[in-house]
mmCIF file of all heavy atoms in Angstrom:
data_model
loop_
_atom_site.group_PDB
_atom_site.id
_atom_site.type_symbol
_atom_site.label_atom_id
_atom_site.label_comp_id
_atom_site.label_asym_id
_atom_site.label_seq_id
_atom_site.Cartn_x
_atom_site.Cartn_y
_atom_site.Cartn_z
ATOM 1 N N VAL A 86 30.677 -140.236 -75.208
ATOM 2 C CA VAL A 86 30.691 -141.118 -76.366
ATOM 3 C C VAL A 86 31.271 -140.383 -77.576
ATOM 4 O O VAL A 86 31.336 -139.173 -77.621
ATOM 5 C CB VAL A 86 29.270 -141.630 -76.688
ATOM 6 C CG1 VAL A 86 28.819 -142.592 -75.620
ATOM 7 C CG2 VAL A 86 28.272 -140.489 -76.878
ATOM 8 N N GLU A 87 31.730 -141.142 -78.552
ATOM 9 C CA GLU A 87 32.221 -140.618 -79.804
ATOM 10 C C GLU A 87 31.465 -141.243 -80.951
ATOM 11 O O GLU A 87 31.945 -142.195 -81.594
ATOM 12 C CB GLU A 87 33.721 -140.890 -79.935
ATOM 13 C CG GLU A 87 34.585 -140.093 -79.033
ATOM 14 C CD GLU A 87 36.085 -140.207 -79.350
ATOM 15 O OE1 GLU A 87 36.437 -140.944 -80.287
ATOM 16 O OE2 GLU A 87 36.851 -139.542 -78.682
ATOM 17 N N PRO A 88 30.255 -140.733 -81.222
ATOM 18 C CA PRO A 88 29.461 -141.297 -82.335
ATOM 19 C C PRO A 88 30.206 -141.139 -83.664
ATOM 20 O O PRO A 88 30.990 -140.230 -83.844
ATOM 21 C CB PRO A 88 28.191 -140.469 -82.336
ATOM 22 C CG PRO A 88 28.129 -139.840 -80.964
ATOM 23 C CD PRO A 88 29.546 -139.653 -80.571
ATOM 24 N N ASP A 89 29.920 -142.031 -84.600
ATOM 25 C CA ASP A 89 30.548 -141.898 -85.911
ATOM 26 C C ASP A 89 30.149 -140.605 -86.565
ATOM 27 O O ASP A 89 30.983 -139.919 -87.153
ATOM 28 C CB ASP A 89 30.161 -143.087 -86.807
ATOM 29 C CG ASP A 89 30.855 -144.384 -86.333
ATOM 30 O OD1 ASP A 89 32.054 -144.304 -85.985
ATOM 31 O OD2 ASP A 89 30.178 -145.401 -86.298
ATOM 32 N N ILE A 90 28.871 -140.234 -86.444
ATOM 33 C CA ILE A 90 28.412 -138.929 -86.977
ATOM 34 C C ILE A 90 27.400 -138.352 -85.974
ATOM 35 O O ILE A 90 26.497 -139.061 -85.502
ATOM 36 C CB ILE A 90 27.723 -139.083 -88.368
ATOM 37 C CG1 ILE A 90 28.772 -139.525 -89.383
ATOM 38 C CG2 ILE A 90 27.072 -137.776 -88.787
ATOM 39 C CD1 ILE A 90 28.220 -139.733 -90.788
ATOM 40 N N SER A 91 27.570 -137.046 -85.673
ATOM 41 C CA SER A 91 26.637 -136.297 -84.796
ATOM 42 C C SER A 91 26.149 -135.080 -85.503
ATOM 43 O O SER A 91 26.953 -134.364 -86.144
ATOM 44 C CB SER A 91 27.339 -135.853 -83.520
ATOM 45 O OG SER A 91 27.905 -136.965 -82.821
ATOM 46 N N VAL A 92 24.858 -134.850 -85.436
ATOM 47 C CA VAL A 92 24.264 -133.629 -85.990
ATOM 48 C C VAL A 92 23.634 -132.842 -84.818
ATOM 49 O O VAL A 92 22.814 -133.436 -84.082
ATOM 50 C CB VAL A 92 23.213 -133.906 -87.075
ATOM 51 C CG1 VAL A 92 22.523 -132.604 -87.510
ATOM 52 C CG2 VAL A 92 23.837 -134.598 -88.273
ATOM 53 N N ILE A 93 24.086 -131.624 -84.653
ATOM 54 C CA ILE A 93 23.617 -130.793 -83.517
ATOM 55 C C ILE A 93 23.012 -129.521 -84.093
ATOM 56 O O ILE A 93 23.668 -128.782 -84.845
ATOM 57 C CB ILE A 93 24.760 -130.425 -82.574
ATOM 58 C CG1 ILE A 93 25.372 -131.684 -81.966
ATOM 59 C CG2 ILE A 93 24.316 -129.475 -81.483
ATOM 60 C CD1 ILE A 93 26.635 -132.138 -82.522
ATOM 61 N N CYS A 94 21.730 -129.270 -83.768
ATOM 62 C CA CYS A 94 21.055 -128.077 -84.265
ATOM 63 C C CYS A 94 21.002 -126.970 -83.234
ATOM 64 O O CYS A 94 20.837 -125.800 -83.587
ATOM 65 C CB CYS A 94 19.647 -128.470 -84.742
ATOM 66 S SG CYS A 94 19.691 -129.572 -86.167
ATOM 67 N N ASP A 95 21.159 -127.297 -81.959
ATOM 68 C CA ASP A 95 21.241 -126.300 -80.881
ATOM 69 C C ASP A 95 22.668 -125.975 -80.668
ATOM 70 O O ASP A 95 23.350 -126.676 -79.922
ATOM 71 C CB ASP A 95 20.532 -126.834 -79.622
ATOM 72 C CG ASP A 95 20.615 -125.844 -78.471
ATOM 73 O OD1 ASP A 95 21.211 -124.773 -78.612
ATOM 74 O OD2 ASP A 95 20.064 -126.192 -77.381
ATOM 75 N N THR A 96 23.166 -124.900 -81.277
ATOM 76 C CA THR A 96 24.585 -124.568 -81.172
ATOM 77 C C THR A 96 25.043 -124.179 -79.801
ATOM 78 O O THR A 96 26.231 -124.108 -79.532
ATOM 79 C CB THR A 96 24.979 -123.468 -82.237
ATOM 80 O OG1 THR A 96 24.127 -122.333 -82.004
ATOM 81 C CG2 THR A 96 24.781 -123.991 -83.637
ATOM 82 N N GLU A 97 24.085 -123.925 -78.882
ATOM 83 C CA GLU A 97 24.443 -123.660 -77.477
ATOM 84 C C GLU A 97 25.062 -124.892 -76.832
ATOM 85 O O GLU A 97 25.732 -124.769 -75.809
ATOM 86 C CB GLU A 97 23.200 -123.210 -76.690
ATOM 87 C CG GLU A 97 22.654 -121.845 -77.075
ATOM 88 C CD GLU A 97 23.610 -120.706 -76.764
ATOM 89 O OE1 GLU A 97 24.114 -120.722 -75.633
ATOM 90 O OE2 GLU A 97 23.795 -119.839 -77.651
ATOM 91 N N LYS A 98 24.828 -126.061 -77.395
ATOM 92 C CA LYS A 98 25.383 -127.297 -76.865
ATOM 93 C C LYS A 98 26.861 -127.491 -77.256
ATOM 94 O O LYS A 98 27.530 -128.355 -76.721
ATOM 95 C CB LYS A 98 24.579 -128.488 -77.342
ATOM 96 C CG LYS A 98 23.190 -128.570 -76.776
ATOM 97 C CD LYS A 98 22.471 -129.810 -77.305
ATOM 98 C CE LYS A 98 21.068 -129.918 -76.685
ATOM 99 N NZ LYS A 98 20.373 -131.145 -77.160
ATOM 100 N N LEU A 99 27.335 -126.706 -78.197
ATOM 101 C CA LEU A 99 28.706 -126.856 -78.700
ATOM 102 C C LEU A 99 29.692 -126.020 -77.893
ATOM 103 O O LEU A 99 29.397 -124.884 -77.552
ATOM 104 C CB LEU A 99 28.764 -126.487 -80.157
ATOM 105 C CG LEU A 99 27.896 -127.344 -81.105
ATOM 106 C CD1 LEU A 99 27.900 -126.748 -82.491
ATOM 107 C CD2 LEU A 99 28.393 -128.768 -81.133
ATOM 108 N N ASP A 100 30.830 -126.616 -77.597
ATOM 109 C CA ASP A 100 31.966 -125.870 -76.999
ATOM 110 C C ASP A 100 33.227 -126.378 -77.608
ATOM 111 O O ASP A 100 33.200 -127.233 -78.527
ATOM 112 C CB ASP A 100 31.919 -125.998 -75.450
ATOM 113 C CG ASP A 100 32.062 -127.416 -74.950
ATOM 114 O OD1 ASP A 100 32.538 -128.311 -75.703
ATOM 115 O OD2 ASP A 100 31.693 -127.661 -73.784
ATOM 116 N N ASP A 101 34.357 -125.876 -77.165
ATOM 117 C CA ASP A 101 35.643 -126.250 -77.804
ATOM 118 C C ASP A 101 35.940 -127.731 -77.619
ATOM 119 O O ASP A 101 36.736 -128.299 -78.389
ATOM 120 C CB ASP A 101 36.773 -125.420 -77.179
ATOM 121 C CG ASP A 101 36.737 -123.968 -77.675
ATOM 122 O OD1 ASP A 101 36.044 -123.696 -78.676
ATOM 123 O OD2 ASP A 101 37.339 -123.129 -77.002
ATOM 124 N N ALA A 102 35.366 -128.411 -76.639
ATOM 125 C CA ALA A 102 35.670 -129.809 -76.371
ATOM 126 C C ALA A 102 34.717 -130.741 -77.135
ATOM 127 O O ALA A 102 34.995 -131.938 -77.204
ATOM 128 C CB ALA A 102 35.570 -130.088 -74.883
ATOM 129 N N GLY A 103 33.607 -130.220 -77.668
ATOM 130 C CA GLY A 103 32.666 -131.090 -78.376
ATOM 131 C C GLY A 103 31.235 -130.642 -78.141
ATOM 132 O O GLY A 103 30.886 -129.469 -78.305
ATOM 133 N N CYS A 104 30.411 -131.590 -77.698
ATOM 134 C CA CYS A 104 29.018 -131.340 -77.444
ATOM 135 C C CYS A 104 28.617 -131.749 -76.035
ATOM 136 O O CYS A 104 29.004 -132.803 -75.579
ATOM 137 C CB CYS A 104 28.175 -132.151 -78.467
ATOM 138 S SG CYS A 104 26.379 -132.014 -78.253
ATOM 139 N N LYS A 105 27.902 -130.829 -75.376
ATOM 140 C CA LYS A 105 27.381 -131.158 -74.039
ATOM 141 C C LYS A 105 25.858 -131.304 -74.172
ATOM 142 O O LYS A 105 25.147 -130.349 -74.517
ATOM 143 C CB LYS A 105 27.804 -130.126 -72.990
ATOM 144 C CG LYS A 105 27.376 -128.703 -73.335
ATOM 145 C CD LYS A 105 27.805 -127.717 -72.273
ATOM 146 C CE LYS A 105 27.252 -126.382 -72.576
ATOM 147 N NZ LYS A 105 28.165 -125.372 -72.944
ATOM 148 N N GLY A 106 25.392 -132.514 -73.956
ATOM 149 C CA GLY A 106 23.988 -132.807 -74.138
ATOM 150 C C GLY A 106 23.758 -133.664 -75.375
ATOM 151 O O GLY A 106 24.708 -134.076 -76.044
#
Side-chain angles (χ1 to χ4, degrees):
V86 291
E87 289 190 358
D89 289 317
I90 294 178
S91 302
V92 174
I93 297 102
C94 295
D95 178 358
T96 56
E97 292 294 314
K98 292 181 178 182
L99 298 172
D100 60 21
D101 289 342
C104 178
K105 56 180 186 249

